[in-house]
Amino acid sequence: MTKTEYSDAGTYFRNRFGSKVYKAAISLDVTCPNRDGTKGTGGCIFCSLGGSGEFSSPKNKSVKDQIDSCISALARKVPDNTRYIAYFQSFTNTYCEVSYLEEKIRQAFSHDLVCAVSIATRPDCLPSGMISMLSSMNRIKPVMVEFGLQTIHEETADLINRCYKTSEYDEAVSALRSEGIEVITHLIFGLPGETEEMMLESVSHVARSGTSGIKFTCLYILKGTELEKMWRDGKVSVLTRDSYFDIVEKALKILPPDIIVHRLTGDGPKSILLEPSWTKDKRSVVNYINGRFKKRGT
Ligand code: SF4
């Protein structure tokens, strides 16, 4: 059977930076407007108490120490010339003073092995001063911005308590791209009430939005989330491995080759992951992906 091709991030980064690139997850002292009452309370229904940053280091450590911890943890598994993208992952990393984030980006850039930063945030947290700062940082080393869009459908966005409009995403992507800043968009397949057609509509919309990259993940049920309650009440179910990757395959066929796929599926934090259980065996998921999909140009 012919494998479905995709433009993978590993190849893209190797071509761009001349070496293998890993992400070093960083936590900053920020929260989220969807948790502190500014936009909502309780957060998105799938979001854990760690603000989707369970793989990051503790936020009380300096940026340099967090990067060094990540490098030490990977040291024996990666080639000597590996470089790192400092990934400001937990919560909403532009939900702060511009000067605070600028200082943290400068600290990351000053690390010899850091080749870029990637900043997870929301499209409704990017005032013009923040975009100007990111634009000037982007002239020192590449800056990428990651949005957890998850879906373009407003009824689903309401149900998951996303608390911003898809039009705000469209405007933010356009503003960042006009400054030459790369955008990576996250989509979840299997959100409650969504049909396959709706999921693929989200993919088509994102493909037209101007995003530079995309991350797919299946819906995870994590302990302590609102989604856990819905799942225990029988209101939510999760996708099987094959049904999830059937949707991924259709999504990849929609994407033009210049959109980089940074993730075909996520990697839920095992300590709080309830379902889908098939995602817990990472090696078998990787083998399945390699058997079904092909990195473009390999
Ligand atoms: S916007 Fe991000 S950090 Fe905030 S609640 Fe939603 S997923 Fe969590």
Side-chain angles (χ1 to χ4, degrees):
M1 202 175 78
T2 318
K3 294 183 186 179
T4 303
E5 293 198 349
Y6 66 104
S7 303
D8 72 295
T11 305
Y12 169 69
F13 286 137
R14 200 164 43 246
N15 291 340
R16 186 163 180 198
F17 297 113
S19 61
K20 207 162 175 48
V21 172
Y22 280 85
K23 277 190 166 172
I26 309 291
S27 292
L28 299 186
D29 191 12
V30 291
T31 176
C32 172
N34 201 11
R35 287 186 170 277
D36 70 2
T38 303
K39 282 296 184 83
T41 50
C44 302
I45 60 170
F46 52 81
C47 183
S48 59
L49 283 176
S52 304
E54 275 70 20
F55 300 107
S56 315
S57 304
K59 66 184 180 187
N60 55 2
K61 287 170 76 177
S62 71
V63 168
K64 181 179 180 304
D65 286 351
Q66 291 187 53
I67 295 167
D68 283 337
S69 299
C70 180
I71 292 174
S72 313
L74 287 169
R76 269 181 282 164
K77 300 182 203 157
V78 302
D80 285 347
N81 65 345
T82 297
R83 298 177 77 196
Y84 294 86
I85 295 173
Y87 182 26
F88 296 10
Q89 183 179 22
S90 328
F91 298 108
T92 300
N93 291 284
T94 59
Y95 190 49
C96 56
E97 294 294 327
V98 173
S99 55
Y100 172 78
L101 182 58
E102 177 175 345
E103 185 197 328
K104 300 299 175 188
I105 294 173
R106 286 187 185 279
Q107 286 172 9
F109 279 172
S110 69
H111 196 292
D112 289 344
L113 296 181
V114 167
C115 58
V117 299
S118 200
I119 296 168
T121 188
R122 295 164 53 93
D124 56 348
C125 290
L126 280 168
S128 58
M130 187 64 81
I131 293 181
S132 303
M133 182 276 287
L134 295 176
S135 178
S136 66
M137 293 296 103
N138 190 42
R139 288 194 278 277
I140 303 172
K141 287 184 187 179
V143 172
M144 294 166 244
V145 171
E146 305 203 20
F147 289 135
L149 178 67
Q150 324 306 4
T151 177
I152 61 158
H153 298 286
E154 300 297 355
E155 63 271 35
T156 318
D158 288 347
L159 196 146
I160 64 173
N161 198 37
R162 191 182 69 185
C163 294
Y164 68 79
K165 298 280 178 209
T166 298
S167 58
E168 292 175 89
Y169 160 81
D170 293 335
E171 286 158 20
V173 174
S174 169
L176 291 165
R177 297 299 288 133
S178 68
E179 294 290 336
I181 296 171
E182 284 188 38
V183 176
I184 300 167
T185 305
H186 302 200
L187 288 179
I188 296 178
F189 293 150
L191 288 169
E194 289 224 332
T195 61
E196 180 180 295
E197 188 186 7
M198 291 168 79
M199 298 175 218
L200 296 176
E201 281 168 359
S202 290
V203 177
S204 299
H205 182 107
V206 168
R208 288 192 306 270
S209 70
T211 197
S212 331
I214 197 160
K215 283 184 177 177
F216 299 120
T217 193
C218 57
L219 183 68
Y220 289 109
I221 314 289
L222 300 182
K223 282 183 196 161
T225 61
E226 195 56 37
L227 195 62
E228 179 190 357
K229 292 181 202 151
M230 293 169 71
W231 174 70
R232 292 201 185 279
D233 289 345
K235 293 180 186 154
V236 181
S237 56
V238 293
L239 293 166
T240 64
R241 184 188 66 178
D242 286 357
S243 54
Y244 172 72
F245 283 109
D246 286 349
I247 300 164
V248 169
E249 182 159 18
K250 288 174 188 160
L252 293 178
K253 288 181 175 158
I254 292 171
L255 292 181
D258 63 332
I259 294 187
I260 306 303
V261 179
H262 290 257
R263 189 171 71 193
L264 287 182
T265 188
D267 191 9
K270 274 191 187 154
S271 58
I272 53 169
L273 177 65
L274 295 165
E275 283 279 8
S277 52
W278 59 265
T279 63
K280 291 177 185 168
D281 185 351
K282 201 171 168 185
R283 184 178 292 272
S284 105
V285 174
V286 169
N287 288 341
Y288 180 93
I289 287 173
N290 290 339
R292 185 161 178 180
F293 303 100
K294 183 174 185 286
K295 296 171 182 173
R296 206 165 257 126
T298 57

